[in-house]
């Protein structure tokens, strides 16, 4: 992922209200190792259910506000993240929804998908045994993950745009 600034981040969200943008907690951008990320994902420390996902789509930075479902999947079973396609204990994967919203407010609809609870898929694809973390394998998994994320964010962006009447 290419490096981003705080102003770029704030201007990237396609489904955030004005209030959400005013209260948006910024991650530690100076501590981020950009070369080891396909996207930037972080959780809001003030509200454990709220998260943020930002990625580049060509030359446009796209951000999506997501909300984790209350509760989680049943412990003791495996679940798969729809972004990184990693199978993990169900307690580490959560349904996240992206509300369809405009700057003026929520439309009442949302789009959801299962994502790693900590939004750290870029780290997940880089951990594991050597045969799964070779540079070629990580690059292929990263590209596929970013393609899935791009499809998800495009759906949110399109639906939010339609909600605005444009």
């Amino acid at each position: 992922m290419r490096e981003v600034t705080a102003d770029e981040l704030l201007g990237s969200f396609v489904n955030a209200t004005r209030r959400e943008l005013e209260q948006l907690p910024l991650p530690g951008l100076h501590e981020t190792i950009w070369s080891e990320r396909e996207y930037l994902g972080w959780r809001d420390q003030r509200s454990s259910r709220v998260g943020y996902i930002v990625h580049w789509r060509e030359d446009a930075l796209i951000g999506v506000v997501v909300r984790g479902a209350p509760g989680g999947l049943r412990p003791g079973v495996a679940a798969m993240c729809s972004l990184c396609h990693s199978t993990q204990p169900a307690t580490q994967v959560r349904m996240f929804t992206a509300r369809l919203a405009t700057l003026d407010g929520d439309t009442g609809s949302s789009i959801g998908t299962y994502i790693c609870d900590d939004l750290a898929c870029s780290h997940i694809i880089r951990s594991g045994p050597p045969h799964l973390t070779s540079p070629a394998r990580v690059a292929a998994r990263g590209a596929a993950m970013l393609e899935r994320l791009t499809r998800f964010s495009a759906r949110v962006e399109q639906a939010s745009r339609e909600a605005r009447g444009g």
Side-chain angles (χ1 to χ4, degrees):
M1 179 172 181
R2 294 191 314 257
E3 190 170 342
V4 301
T5 66
D7 287 340
E8 288 174 320
L9 270 182
L10 290 172
S12 73
F13 287 93
V14 298
N15 70 328
T17 64
R18 280 186 182 87
R19 182 171 181 242
E20 286 172 325
L21 290 175
E22 290 167 0
Q23 298 177 353
L24 192 133
L26 294 175
L29 299 177
H30 298 294
E31 297 88 26
T32 301
I33 302 171
W34 298 102
S35 62
E36 294 182 5
R37 293 190 180 257
E38 286 69 30
Y39 72 89
L40 181 61
W42 73 100
R43 299 291 293 270
D44 190 325
Q45 297 299 316
R46 297 171 308 211
S47 177
S48 63
R49 289 186 48 210
V50 178
Y52 309 92
I53 300 174
V54 178
H55 68 95
W56 288 100
R57 183 175 64 209
E58 297 173 9
D59 287 331
L61 191 63
I62 306 297
V64 178
V65 179
V66 294
R67 283 181 170 54
L73 298 172
R74 191 178 83 232
V77 297
M80 181 182 285
C81 171
S82 64
L83 297 184
C84 66
H85 279 190
S86 294
T87 304
Q88 302 182 58
T91 56
Q92 295 176 18
V93 176
R94 181 172 302 271
M95 168 60 79
F96 281 92
T97 57
R99 289 180 311 124
L100 305 183
T102 66
L103 286 174
D104 296 323
D106 186 356
T107 68
S109 298
S110 63
I111 296 172
T113 192
Y114 287 96
I115 306 174
C116 291
D117 189 52
D118 59 3
L119 303 177
C121 297
S122 289
H123 296 297
I124 299 281
I125 67 170
R126 288 172 170 78
S127 61
H131 72 282
L132 293 178
T133 57
S134 69
R137 176 94 179 192
V138 169
R141 288 186 74 193
M145 178 176 68
L146 191 54
E147 182 179 319
R148 290 185 286 273
L149 176 56
T150 298
R151 283 195 308 263
F152 175 71
S153 64
R155 287 175 50 213
V156 173
E157 182 180 28
Q158 177 64 32
S160 291
R161 187 179 312 125
E162 288 171 2
R164 287 190 296 270

